[in-house]
Amino acid sequence: MILHPGILALIVGSSIVLMMVIYGSFVGTRVWLSWDFNSSSEEQLVLERKTFLVSSIVRYALAFEVFSILLFISTIDDIHQLFVGAMCATGSLNANPIGWVVLFVKMGILLLAPVWVVLDIFDQKAGDYPLIRAKYVLLQFLTVVVALDLFLVIKYFAGLHPEIITSCCGALFSESGPGVAGEIAALPSAGMMWLFYVTVVFFLATLMFCLLHRAAAARYVLAVLAVMLFFVSIASVISTFSMYIYQLPTHHCPFDMFQGNYSYVAYPIFLGLFSAVFFGFLPGIFQPLKKVTSLEKHIFEAEKKWLVTSGIATILFVTVVSWPVVFSGVELMGY
Amino acid sequence: MRRLLILDYALSSLWRRRYKNFSIIAVFTLTVAVLGSILLLTHSLKMEASEILAGAPDLVVQRMSAGRHDLIPVRYIEEIEKIPGVGAVKSRCWGYYYDALTGSNFTLLGLDETATHEIHLLEGSMPKAEGQCAVGPGVARIRNVKVGDELILIDSTNTGVVFEVVGTFTEESSILTNDLVVFPKDDLVWFFGLPEGRATDITVEVFNESEVSTVAGKIKRMYPDTRPITRREIVQTYDAVFNWRSGMMLTVFLSALIAFSILAWDKATGISAEERREVGILKAIGWDTSDVLELKFWEGTVISLTSFLLGLIFAFVHVFFFGAPLLTPVLKGWSVIFPDFHFTPYIDLYQIAVIGFLTVVPYVASTVIPSWKTAVTDPEEVMRS
Amino acid sequence: MKEPAEALIWTEDVTKVYNPRLPDEVRAVDRVSVTIDRGDVAVLKGPSGSGKTSLLSLIGCMSRPTSGRIFVDGRDVAKLSESLLTAIRRETFGFIFQQYNLVPDASVLENVLLPLYPVGLRPSEMKQRANRILEGLGIENRRRLKVRKLSGGEQQRVAIARALVNEPDIIVADEPTAHLDRQRSADLLRVLEDLNMQGKTIIIATHDAQVYDHVFVTRTIEMGDGRVEAERLS
């Protein structure tokens, strides 16, 4: 265990977040167990007011949780010099492989938490609380994930022993490296680039189609494409675009670009990617809910905004990753 | 637009209750300032240390005897020099000296004629001839000597020895040189009464950085009684020590954080009858629960941001302009002579994020339930009062 | 009885019980069915404790009935969530309370603008509206003053201005003359009469004869013990 201010902040912050979410989930469960919207009793009114408490708590908690991902990445980046052979955040993760699990759990929260908030917003807008049960069941699941996250974070940092010799990102994300990470990095860049741009074009085309037509199938296709876009983009950022960003044919680490040396370019990249995927994914998830009368109007209204946001985010993301390819003058297609 | 209007109302509402809000901002600011000072200071120390260590030898070889550090035979140098990839190999003589007069510890260093220490001198020169010495700013201050004065030290046979001070180091180098006294090597050997052919340790230059550990392994095999220490290990140790110290202080500080949260909770819960009535009015004339929650959100944001910025500024000034006088005694530990710290100011987003996470999260967590309680005030209440 | 959609306000067997199943249970409104048409000046008349204020808050979408139905402008509001009730209250009603219920340390202008904050109009439009109304009530030169510094009559006007700023169809006033002398009461009634002429429906709960005997009253609902004892058109 390393006593480091960032680690302390993560553990203290996440513990508070967990307490908030547990409390919210507890209140939420009590609310939906005795929920009876047709009753005009005082108890029902109290329950309705409690939904605001749950919303308020969970929204703050989830905002902190999302913020904690950035803090986590910055922290593992800051402590990498404690490990022999580690040159960036990847090294810190390799020093205790649970770190990778933490990263994936946090990414899951990053996508799941906003879904909860959107459900919550609709539930409040509808006026007859059609999603109350769905919302609080999902909250229970989220609580488990947040608890798991804290547990893994503690386990990860507790299991870090600074004397461990780690392979740095050069070894992990270089073509000859073993495992999935190495394979991703080894993907041929020309092919990867093709796949990337084709996916983007398909995604944007479907998005346009959804904007113009109300077909349900298009929404589901878009959701699937959004998931594809997510994985294809991450793979191509690691395998191809990173080389242009670092201007090195052998450097593929996805964490270095969070640093000031690369003008924090990772933030627009991953923020753009996450918004594009998230808002592209939403219409598909909410398609079945259009059957609820009190929601239909609101969903149609919001859907337009989601599609437009997703489109803009996609364009932003694609522009930022393509920029160095077009303008850096580095010729790396051969690698 | 709606958001801005509610923010506007939040501001005027905070201003109307400025005396009450002032206390929470003051405590919040203090919390951030203390926390910020700890982080900024330890981080500066860390940076300072790593800057100094950048000029340190790649490898230091010590001799171990009975599990303790012992003097190393100078003849080891010849064998080490033969290892491929190794550059200059030198012996170093240094030690500690307890100055009974002032009750402080000095570090005494023997200077090799060939050594090229890049230490800035404020005044005078490095000692060259017998009986000369140069002193660090801390030593100069505590013994009240300057260039041209005499420094009397007691040697191992309890005899006073007079040295002439020919130079004093500048304050800029003080973290390294503060308690330092430099002599020609022979003077030091004689002063400490070191046996012939022995040195304190041996420094090794390695051309290729990635071969340092290989060389270290070879030396260890060659001389099993030695302990090679790489620069990286020293950097890591420093890092770990500073992380540990600031972590320790933060942990101690957590109790203060809890006290702060309780205060925030208390302030948020104990809303006055007047404030409660105001929210009742808002609810009655068309504000929704979510609008009041938003109002509370903005109030919290304004309070947090104000306190946070103020606290950061205080921490910044405290550490970088005054050298953290309130914290250095705790952080620096054993030595009686403290260097006067003058750190290079820097702004690090990561540090700010850490401070933010440690202070804003508890504050929000302790105000969220009271805010909600206020927000669900029954609109009908104002009709029946 | 009219159909719910035709009347502006229509209630059927509305009951409101406070603290149900507790020792201090109060049946404040008991199976009340009333109708108020667009353009009415309706008076809820009765001694204190007769359920006027409770009925007023039910009609004004401040609270939900324990049972029964309430239609406002053709919309069933008895079973709406609090947030939707708030939205209707904000769009349809302007409230004048017994003790003004102003924020004493805020300025006149700020008090008048309060109901508009959650609506999200442009600030220039909001100010324009407020100024027009304050001018109409003759207190535009008091705009920047704190409410605390105003006289009782002026505070009453600020309260009226606040009730009007969201351009409601219905003005609800609870004992508006309780703290006013005869002269000021007459002034207030003149203002309300003007508003009625402009097409606003006015609902007043009162036990002041100066109000319920006024000529502009079109509908009197007499209450006692939570029930309607008599209903009269004039």
Side-chain angles (χ1 to χ4, degrees):
Chain A
M1 181 78 181
I2 309 165
L3 208 40
H4 178 278
I7 296 175
L8 206 63
L10 269 173
I11 291 176
V12 169
S14 304
S15 305
I16 294 174
V17 165
L18 180 63
M19 286 195 305
M20 288 169 83
V21 178
I22 288 178
Y23 180 74
S25 165
F26 175 69
V27 175
T29 309
R30 283 211 319 210
V31 167
W32 78 260
L33 282 181
S34 33
W35 186 260
D36 176 14
F37 187 67
N38 287 319
S39 155
S40 306
S41 64
E42 288 293 309
E43 290 83 13
Q44 174 62 19
L45 187 65
V46 171
L47 293 182
E48 278 174 43
R49 288 183 181 159
K50 285 225 163 116
T51 62
F52 282 100
L53 176 61
V54 180
S55 303
S56 191
I57 288 180
V58 176
R59 283 185 201 184
Y60 280 119
L62 294 182
F64 292 144
E65 196 62 24
V66 167
F67 180 73
S68 84
I69 297 174
L70 295 180
L71 197 64
F72 180 72
I73 293 178
S74 313
T75 302
I76 55 177
D77 193 70
D78 196 64
I79 59 172
H80 77 258
Q81 65 228 43
L82 295 178
F83 306 102
V84 180
M87 283 174 186
C88 73
T90 312
S92 311
L93 288 176
N94 285 343
N96 182 359
I98 293 170
W100 291 102
V101 186
V102 174
L103 194 68
F104 290 125
V105 171
K106 282 196 179 293
M107 262 157 58
I109 294 176
L110 186 60
L111 286 174
L112 205 59
V115 171
W116 192 89
V117 174
V118 175
L119 272 177
D120 188 39
I121 289 172
F122 278 124
D123 196 41
Q124 283 188 5
K125 266 192 189 166
D128 57 354
Y129 302 95
L131 301 174
I132 196 107
R133 266 156 229 263
K135 191 165 92 171
Y136 290 146
V137 170
L138 181 61
L139 179 58
Q140 287 180 333
F141 177 67
L142 255 173
T143 309
V144 174
V145 180
V146 170
L148 179 73
D149 173 62
L150 176 64
F151 171 73
L152 289 173
V153 164
I154 293 175
K155 207 166 150 56
Y156 168 64
F157 286 122
L160 282 183
H161 301 292
E163 57 277 17
I164 283 179
I165 295 177
T166 69
S167 57
C168 83
C169 52
L172 181 75
F173 288 103
S174 67
E175 288 89 344
S176 54
V180 185
E183 274 165 34
I184 292 174
L187 292 169
S189 62
M192 208 53 227
M193 227 183 237
W194 267 108
L195 181 61
F196 173 72
Y197 286 110
V198 167
T199 315
V200 167
V201 168
F202 269 109
F203 181 74
L204 284 177
T206 317
L207 202 114
M208 280 304 289
F209 184 81
C210 287
L211 266 176
L212 299 173
H213 299 274
R214 290 193 160 192
R219 267 85 182 155
Y220 295 125
V221 172
L222 188 68
V224 172
L225 279 172
V227 177
M228 266 183 69
L229 181 72
F230 183 68
F231 289 108
V232 169
S233 301
I234 288 191
S236 45
V237 165
I238 293 174
S239 76
T240 308
F241 294 110
S242 60
M243 298 191 301
Y244 290 93
I245 291 165
Y246 302 129
Q247 311 209 337
L248 277 175
T250 49
H251 200 35
H252 295 287
C253 177
F255 300 110
D256 273 357
M257 32 179 130
F258 280 97
Q259 293 175 19
N261 316 3
Y262 302 102
S263 43
Y264 302 106
V265 70
Y267 290 96
I269 289 181
F270 287 106
L271 209 70
L273 176 62
F274 266 100
S275 333
V277 169
F278 177 70
F279 288 108
F281 193 59
L282 278 185
I285 302 183
F286 280 85
Q287 182 63 30
L289 293 178
K290 283 183 187 162
K291 288 194 204 99
V292 182
T293 350
S294 56
L295 282 179
E296 197 187 357
K297 191 185 81 173
H298 298 295
I299 294 184
F300 271 114
E301 258 170 37
E303 201 184 64
K304 200 157 276 171
K305 281 184 211 151
W306 295 339
L307 290 171
V308 172
T309 313
S310 173
I312 292 173
T314 312
I315 292 166
L316 170 89
F317 158 65
V318 173
T319 313
V320 175
V321 288
S322 308
W323 193 269
V325 179
V326 181
F327 293 101
S328 74
V330 180
E331 190 51 64
L332 294 170
M333 284 307 273
Y335 288 95
Chain B
M1 191 40 78
R2 202 182 128 265
R3 251 160 245 284
L4 284 180
L5 287 168
I6 291 181
L7 169 61
D8 180 58
Y9 189 75
L11 287 172
S12 81
S13 151
L14 283 174
W15 182 247
R16 263 184 273 128
R17 277 178 272 280
R18 54 189 170 278
Y19 299 109
K20 177 197 157 185
N21 291 318
F22 179 75
S23 62
I24 187 79
I25 288 182
V27 177
F28 201 155
T29 303
L30 186 71
T31 314
V32 174
V34 174
L35 234 160
S37 299
I38 297 174
L39 284 185
L40 289 178
L41 180 64
T42 43
H43 195 256
S44 300
L45 285 170
K46 220 156 83 176
M47 293 210 305
E48 197 108 330
S50 67
E51 246 167 63
I52 288 159
L53 289 169
D58 301 312
L59 201 59
V60 172
V61 183
Q62 294 177 342
R63 177 161 179 257
M64 301 298 288
S65 165
R68 293 172 61 92
H69 174 215
D70 195 15
L71 299 173
I72 192 163
V74 183
R75 63 183 157 80
Y76 283 10
I77 293 177
E78 291 161 36
E79 288 303 311
I80 294 173
E81 268 174 340
K82 286 179 192 152
I83 299 173
V86 166
V89 182
K90 289 198 183 99
S91 64
R92 287 197 307 194
C93 289
W94 55 276
Y96 298 118
Y97 171 81
Y98 178 70
D99 187 41
L101 197 64
T102 55
S104 49
N105 277 300
F106 299 162
T107 302
L108 308 192
L109 176 70
L111 199 65
D112 214 324
E113 307 79 60
T114 54
T116 50
H117 285 274
E118 283 192 31
I119 298 171
H120 314 280
L121 280 176
L122 176 73
E123 228 182 303
S125 59
M126 284 297 232
K128 287 184 194 76
E130 209 173 290
Q132 290 183 340
C133 73
V135 298
V139 179
R141 206 177 315 120
I142 204 161
R143 290 293 294 262
N144 196 19
V145 289
K146 56 184 187 297
V147 174
D149 288 354
E150 284 175 345
L151 181 72
I152 299 169
L153 301 176
I154 313 293
D155 74 2
S156 49
T157 59
N158 207 15
T159 318
V161 185
V162 182
F163 293 98
E164 187 199 351
V165 178
V166 293
T168 53
F169 298 104
T170 58
E171 291 286 345
E172 278 88 79
S173 61
S174 66
I175 197 168
L176 188 69
T177 63
N178 198 49
D179 64 346
L180 193 66
V181 184
V182 179
F183 308 94
K185 198 174 192 169
D186 295 339
D187 272 2
L188 189 87
V189 169
W190 168 76
F191 181 80
F192 276 145
L194 296 179
E196 191 64 24
R198 297 288 174 105
T200 314
D201 51 27
I202 292 172
T203 65
V204 181
E205 183 192 358
V206 181
F207 293 126
N208 185 346
E209 206 194 331
S210 58
E211 280 176 18
V212 173
S213 45
T214 321
V215 172
K218 279 187 183 161
I219 294 171
K220 180 80 190 164
R221 243 172 287 131
M222 225 184 300
Y223 302 108
D225 61 341
T226 59
R227 177 172 67 179
I229 302 165
T230 64
R231 184 172 62 210
R232 203 183 156 92
E233 281 169 336
I234 299 174
V235 172
Q236 280 170 19
T237 310
Y238 266 84
D239 248 23
V241 165
F242 284 123
N243 284 340
W244 185 81
R245 279 198 185 173
S246 69
M248 244 359 247
M249 286 184 69
L250 290 178
T251 314
V252 170
F253 184 69
L254 277 183
S255 53
L257 211 60
I258 292 166
F260 161 68
S261 306
I262 293 171
L263 179 84
W265 169 280
D266 186 57
K267 281 280 164 192
T269 320
I271 60 163
S272 58
E274 187 199 347
E275 202 179 338
R276 205 178 155 71
R277 191 163 153 265
E278 187 178 322
V279 174
I281 295 171
L282 293 177
K283 292 290 294 276
I285 61 174
W287 286 49
D288 188 26
T289 307
S290 55
D291 296 322
V292 181
L293 281 173
E294 199 173 322
L295 172 69
K296 291 281 154 195
F297 163 77
W298 284 123
E299 284 184 7
T301 308
V302 171
I303 287 183
S304 312
L305 271 185
T306 313
S307 319
F308 192 61
L309 282 178
L310 278 177
L312 279 184
I313 292 169
F314 284 148
F316 199 83
V317 170
H318 174 222
V319 171
F320 292 125
F321 291 99
F322 295 110
L326 303 176
L327 279 179
T328 35
V330 198
L331 269 177
K332 285 182 311 191
W334 65 91
S335 178
V336 178
I337 310 174
F338 302 135
D340 274 342
F341 288 96
H342 291 285
F343 302 114
T344 332
Y346 69 93
I347 292 175
D348 181 9
L349 286 179
Y350 173 63
Q351 305 268 327
I352 294 175
V354 169
I355 303 169
F357 214 62
L358 274 174
T359 52
V360 177
V361 174
Y363 174 73
V364 170
S366 41
T367 52
V368 59
I369 295 176
S371 297
W372 167 78
K373 280 216 169 102
T374 319
V376 293
T377 305
D378 199 323
E380 209 193 351
E381 228 169 66
V382 297
M383 297 276 280
R384 287 188 285 159
S385 58
Chain C
M1 190 174 245
K2 288 191 172 186
E3 282 303 300
E6 287 172 39
L8 183 60
I9 289 177
W10 183 93
T11 74
E12 184 184 66
D13 286 339
V14 162
T15 302
K16 177 75 181 180
V17 182
Y18 290 103
N19 310 322
R21 295 185 299 282
L22 290 175
D24 53 344
E25 178 182 299
V26 181
R27 194 166 274 265
V29 177
D30 194 4
R31 282 165 287 147
V32 167
S33 303
V34 293
T35 309
I36 294 168
D37 285 322
R38 202 173 285 280
D40 265 349
V41 175
V43 166
L44 302 180
K45 176 181 155 188
S48 55
S50 60
K52 297 178 309 244
T53 302
S54 299
L55 182 58
L56 211 57
S57 74
L58 285 172
I59 290 174
C61 294
M62 285 237 190
S63 57
R64 285 196 300 205
T66 314
S67 65
R69 295 200 290 162
I70 303 175
F71 280 74
V72 172
D73 211 2
R75 188 162 181 196
D76 189 354
V77 297
K79 293 246 184 290
L80 289 181
S81 74
E82 238 188 344
S83 304
L84 286 185
L85 271 185
T86 305
I88 292 178
R89 187 162 74 236
R90 191 165 59 210
E91 282 153 25
T92 321
F93 293 94
F95 289 90
I96 301 169
F97 303 97
Q98 192 171 348
Q99 35 251 100
Y100 315 143
N101 277 329
L102 299 167
V103 181
D105 286 315
S107 72
V108 168
L109 189 64
E110 229 178 328
N111 265 287
V112 173
L113 290 177
L114 275 188
L116 294 182
Y117 278 93
V119 180
L121 300 173
R122 265 182 294 113
S124 58
E125 194 188 334
M126 283 168 61
K127 290 212 172 105
Q128 233 172 8
R129 252 200 224 186
N131 285 337
R132 204 174 52 228
I133 292 165
L134 287 171
E135 245 166 70
L137 292 165
I139 45 170
E140 75 273 17
N141 55 349
R142 293 276 188 265
R143 239 180 4 231
R144 307 251 159 243
L145 283 183
K146 277 188 183 176
V147 163
R148 191 186 281 293
K149 301 205 165 128
L150 302 184
S151 71
E154 284 170 326
Q155 291 196 14
Q156 174 73 288
R157 276 157 198 264
V158 177
I160 296 173
R162 188 183 63 191
L164 294 176
V165 78
N166 57 338
E167 300 177 342
D169 290 336
I170 307 168
I171 307 278
V172 172
D174 186 23
E175 304 278 8
T177 57
H179 300 290
L180 300 178
D181 57 30
R182 268 199 87 76
Q183 181 52 44
R184 296 218 185 283
S185 298
D187 287 347
L188 171 76
L189 289 173
R190 206 169 304 124
V191 172
L192 290 178
E193 197 174 356
D194 271 355
L195 290 170
N196 183 235
M197 302 283 253
Q198 289 162 28
K200 304 220 184 279
T201 307
I202 291 166
I203 306 172
I204 311 169
T206 188
H207 59 269
D208 181 357
Q210 200 187 350
V211 180
Y212 60 71
D213 286 344
H214 199 277
V215 286
F216 76 160
V217 175
T218 58
R219 187 183 292 267
T220 312
I221 298 162
E222 255 177 74
M223 293 196 68
D225 246 356
R227 302 209 181 136
V228 176
E229 291 186 334
E231 194 177 351
R232 207 176 42 245
L233 291 173
S234 46

